Amino acid sequence: MLIEKKDTDYSFGMISDEILYMILGEYGFDDDWIVLPLININKNAIAINKRSETARKAVVLYKNVLYIVKEIPWYTSNEEFTRFEMAYQDEVRKLGSKVPKILRQKDGNLYAVMQSGSQKKFIFVQEYVEGDSWDGTEVCIPSVASALAKLHNDSMSVSEKIKESYCPPYSNVFQLAKKMLDIMFDELNSKRKLTHESDVIEAQTFHDFCMDKSIRLEEESLKDGYGELSIPVHGDY
């Protein structure tokens, strides 16, 4: 997963009605659909644009069935990755993992391409699957672990054709942690004139402590086998 600053989203995380009309038409939807501004997460009503800030999306009710329309996140928005991700999710679902079914357009494609100025946007539609986030209790851990293990095992069984079609960025949790620490300190340095010197020193101490600890933990984990197996899964896992 790449870590960098995101450009300002003037759509506030939502896909506009204008774009929805164009996209849903390619999937064979007529105009008899409505957009739901809220979704249920752990029995709480959460605004769509507050659930995630990495991509624009919409929850659509069409003929009493819920669908999610989602734009490929800005940090992976290219056709090579989109083609891989859609084919990967489609095959993992067929292997039995509990992932949403991706709809195909009238021409059979798993995603739509929309020109936005000089850039291309990639948007797909999938069925809405009801579920809950982990509530922090131990009783849910076996279910979470079982679903995650199934996804990981199915990831290993994805066809070689899909695996060879694209090489996703390799994510190392320790490298990500160190990069986030550097970004934090760089951001503070960029505002150094507005920051009290004692706060800068404290941040430097915190940065160095966490960096040393991350390096030490990575060395210990590598000795125990971390990194020997890599599989294509979503960064949140």
Side-chain angles (χ1 to χ4, degrees):
M1 177 183 290
L2 302 179
I3 299 177
E4 54 186 87
K5 289 184 179 179
K6 176 189 176 185
D7 292 334
T8 301
D9 179 8
Y10 295 104
S11 298
F12 301 104
M14 302 288 284
I15 296 177
S16 69
D17 286 353
E18 180 183 7
I19 293 176
L20 285 173
Y21 274 109
M22 291 189 294
I23 296 299
L24 293 176
E26 295 298 318
Y27 285 88
F29 286 38
D30 56 34
D31 294 344
D32 189 26
W33 50 265
I34 60 173
V35 175
L36 305 183
L38 305 171
I39 55 174
N40 170 35
I41 301 293
N42 289 6
K43 297 180 175 59
N44 293 309
I46 306 295
I48 295 297
N49 62 333
K50 295 299 182 184
R51 177 60 181 166
S52 170
E53 297 181 357
T54 57
R56 294 188 297 169
K57 65 187 70 62
V59 175
V60 172
L61 178 64
Y62 177 64
K63 295 185 177 180
N64 294 319
V65 179
L66 287 173
Y67 300 93
I68 290 185
V69 184
K70 186 174 182 181
E71 181 183 309
I72 293 294
W74 55 277
Y75 52 85
T76 55
S77 186
N78 64 75
E79 190 149 13
E80 187 181 24
F81 173 79
T82 302
R83 190 183 303 113
F84 165 79
E85 182 182 12
M86 297 297 99
Y88 167 76
Q89 182 172 326
D90 186 54
E91 185 158 333
V92 166
R93 177 183 174 277
K94 292 175 181 176
L95 290 170
S97 281
K98 294 181 179 180
V99 297
K101 177 183 178 180
I102 300 176
L103 274 60
R104 290 185 179 273
Q105 292 184 280
K106 290 183 289 187
D107 62 5
N109 286 336
L110 288 167
Y111 60 92
V113 183
M114 189 188 72
Q115 194 70 35
S116 177
S118 61
Q119 296 182 323
K120 288 183 178 180
K121 300 289 187 181
F122 306 96
I123 300 174
F124 64 98
V125 181
Q126 64 183 28
E127 293 181 348
Y128 179 88
V129 177
E130 187 71 31
D132 292 323
S133 298
W134 180 40
D135 61 6
T137 62
E138 289 189 17
V139 69
C140 292
I141 293 178
S143 176
V144 173
S146 176
L148 186 58
K150 172 65 175 169
L151 177 61
H152 284 177
N153 288 333
D154 287 344
S155 294
M156 297 296 293
S157 301
V158 169
S159 68
E160 291 301 320
K161 180 180 179 180
I162 292 177
K163 291 179 182 177
E164 294 172 358
S165 67
Y166 178 75
C167 182
Y170 175 76
S171 292
N172 176 310
V173 66
F174 301 104
Q175 292 174 6
L176 292 176
K178 287 182 281 189
K179 188 169 184 179
M180 284 189 282
L181 285 167
D182 285 339
I183 289 176
M184 178 272 295
F185 195 68
D186 288 345
E187 183 71 11
L188 183 64
N189 272 333
S190 70
K191 298 179 175 61
R192 197 179 187 103
K193 292 182 179 179
L194 304 175
T195 307
H196 195 279
E197 188 62 27
S198 62
D199 292 331
V200 175
I201 294 174
E202 185 176 352
Q204 178 72 66
T205 301
F206 173 77
H207 171 275
D208 294 347
F209 171 81
C210 292
M211 189 67 74
D212 290 342
K213 194 171 187 64
S214 180
I215 292 172
R216 187 165 62 253
L217 289 173
E218 181 177 14
E219 292 173 348
E220 294 174 359
S221 298
L222 288 172
K223 291 178 182 177
D224 292 334
Y226 178 81
E228 292 180 0
L229 177 66
S230 61
I231 52 178
V233 296
H234 191 284
D236 289 347
Y237 284 98

